[in-house]
Amino acid sequence: MTTVVIAAVAAGPTAVAASTHAPGTATPVAAGVLSDPTPEEQEHLREVAGSIWTPELAAGWNMNSDVADVLSTATGEILKCSEAFALVPRPPGFLPGIGYLLSYWKNLRDYFLVVRDNRTYRACVVTAANNYRTQIEIASMGI
């Protein structure tokens, strides 16, 4: 299962969509959303955030659109870092916005949980968690 998740994320959004939807269909990825996420979307974002930081930290955050923006940036940094380690051959050629996070939240969560526990790739997740912790806390407070 780990290999499938890593391979799907490594291949990009189309492969991730194909791995979670009917063959030959892809879920459109929105570039951005102006309104705050719905409660269900907030839970998906919380799962991704919990896989980067901890579920306990993410549980206390207000998953608003500003938090989603910071989470998108952190996600992009982790994917770029992983590429440098040759785990992910091609990260998305764009900043993974809220649409990407919401479409692929489960795959991203599973991927981050895998690399977080891998001694080599853990540096990618830990570095992003460290670099974006203050920003996500501030965004959660609506500042």
Side-chain angles (χ1 to χ4, degrees):
M1 177 61 176
T2 299
T3 305
V4 172
V5 171
I6 292 172
V9 173
T14 304
V16 173
S19 71
T20 58
H21 297 85
T25 63
T27 302
V29 178
V33 177
L34 297 177
S35 62
D36 282 338
T38 66
E40 180 182 2
E41 292 169 339
Q42 289 178 31
E43 279 309 306
H44 295 323
L45 294 171
R46 194 174 316 287
E47 293 238 7
V48 174
S51 68
I52 297 172
W53 288 275
T54 65
E56 295 78 19
L57 278 174
W61 292 337
N62 174 12
M63 290 293 163
N64 57 41
S65 58
D66 291 336
V67 167
D69 288 343
V70 175
L71 188 55
S72 294
T73 302
T75 295
E77 292 299 315
I78 292 168
L79 293 175
K80 285 179 199 172
C81 176
S82 297
E83 177 191 24
F85 282 119
L87 180 62
V88 180
R90 285 186 321 254
F94 60 95
L95 179 64
I98 190 171
Y100 181 86
L101 293 173
L102 294 173
S103 294
Y104 309 116
W105 70 272
K106 187 172 184 334
N107 297 77
L108 289 166
R109 179 203 62 200
D110 292 347
Y111 170 72
F112 293 154
L113 289 172
V114 168
V115 297
R116 184 175 71 186
D117 293 334
N118 180 299
R119 189 172 172 193
T120 301
Y121 303 104
R122 177 174 163 73
C124 297
V125 178
V126 170
T127 300
N130 183 53
N131 290 343
Y132 294 98
R133 171 74 186 275
T134 300
Q135 289 178 346
I136 205 161
E137 292 278 355
I138 290 170
S140 174
M141 290 185 264
I143 299 173

